[in-house]
Amino acid sequence: VMRWDTSDGTKNIRPVWRIGDGWQHSIPSEQRPLYALDRLVADAGARVFVVEGEKCVDQLAALGLLATTSPSGASSAAKADWSPLAGREVVILPDADDAGRKYAEEVLGLLLALDPPARAAIAPLPGLTLGEDAVEFVERVHSRDTAAARTAIDELAASALATAMIRAT
């Protein structure tokens, strides 16, 4: 994914796909691969965090966490191939807005429908204001203290997964 943050505060995003032996700018007709798929495959036993957007994935990766997102934004979760997360422990960290909550619920349903289902939970990040996400959680809520942000996310994930497992039994 190529991203340009423009001077007027907008962003331009151009996805590029590896298809066969080459790269294409056109969107593949089949299910779209998850962002950072190479990292998901390389660390098959690790907990995975799902966030909305590549910038949030990269923020979590900077904390040493394994993260991914579906391509093409919050309204395209169903177009992604979530199968690499089958049977895995997954925590969804939604953006603090209606679109983020809707995306998280949709992703949770897709993860639970996998064979085998992912062990998944939604864990809203505390302290966010409307429209914020994992980037602001690190930068504003934790004043860029990456160790504190990582600890908070790990604790939140463990609690959310434990609660989800209790509800599932």
Side-chain angles (χ1 to χ4, degrees), residues 62-95:
L63 300 179
L65 298 169
L66 184 60
T68 192
T69 192
S70 55
S72 305
S75 62
S76 299
K79 295 177 182 175
D81 176 7
W82 295 96
S83 65
L85 303 184
R88 295 188 66 168
E89 190 173 271
V90 182
V91 178
I92 306 160
L93 304 175
D95 287 6

Side-chain angles (χ1 to χ4, degrees), residues 15-146:
V16 180
W17 311 91
R18 180 137 181 103
I19 299 175
D21 292 334
W23 292 91
Q24 291 179 248
H25 187 266
S26 59
I27 296 173
S29 57
E30 67 273 2
Q31 294 270 279
R32 301 170 186 174
L34 297 173
Y35 183 70
L37 181 59
D38 57 330
R39 290 180 247 166
L40 297 174
V41 172
D43 201 355
R47 175 184 293 155
V48 178
F49 292 88
V50 173
V51 290
E52 185 185 329
E54 295 84 0
K55 188 173 180 181
C56 291
V57 171
D58 294 342
Q59 178 68 73
L60 293 183
L63 300 179
L65 298 169
L66 184 60
T68 192
T69 192
S70 55
S72 305
S75 62
S76 299
K79 295 177 182 175
D81 176 7
W82 295 96
S83 65
L85 303 184
R88 295 188 66 168
E89 190 173 271
V90 182
V91 178
I92 306 160
L93 304 175
D95 287 6
D97 55 25
D98 288 339
R101 285 183 284 282
K102 182 179 175 187
Y103 176 75
E105 290 292 337
E106 183 177 6
V107 170
L108 180 63
L110 293 165
L111 293 173
L112 296 177
L114 294 172
D115 184 23
R119 297 176 309 280
I122 297 172
L125 294 166
L128 297 181
T129 59
L130 186 64
E132 291 186 325
D133 56 31
V135 172
E136 286 84 15
F137 185 74
V138 175
E139 292 181 358
R140 186 186 59 75
V141 175
H142 287 280
S143 303
R144 294 187 178 95
D145 182 340
T146 56

Side-chain angles (χ1 to χ4, degrees), residues 1-15:
V1 175
M2 298 178 287
R3 176 189 173 120
W4 293 270
D5 293 319
T6 62
S7 59
D8 67 0
T10 61
K11 61 186 174 190
N12 288 316
I13 297 176
R14 299 289 183 260

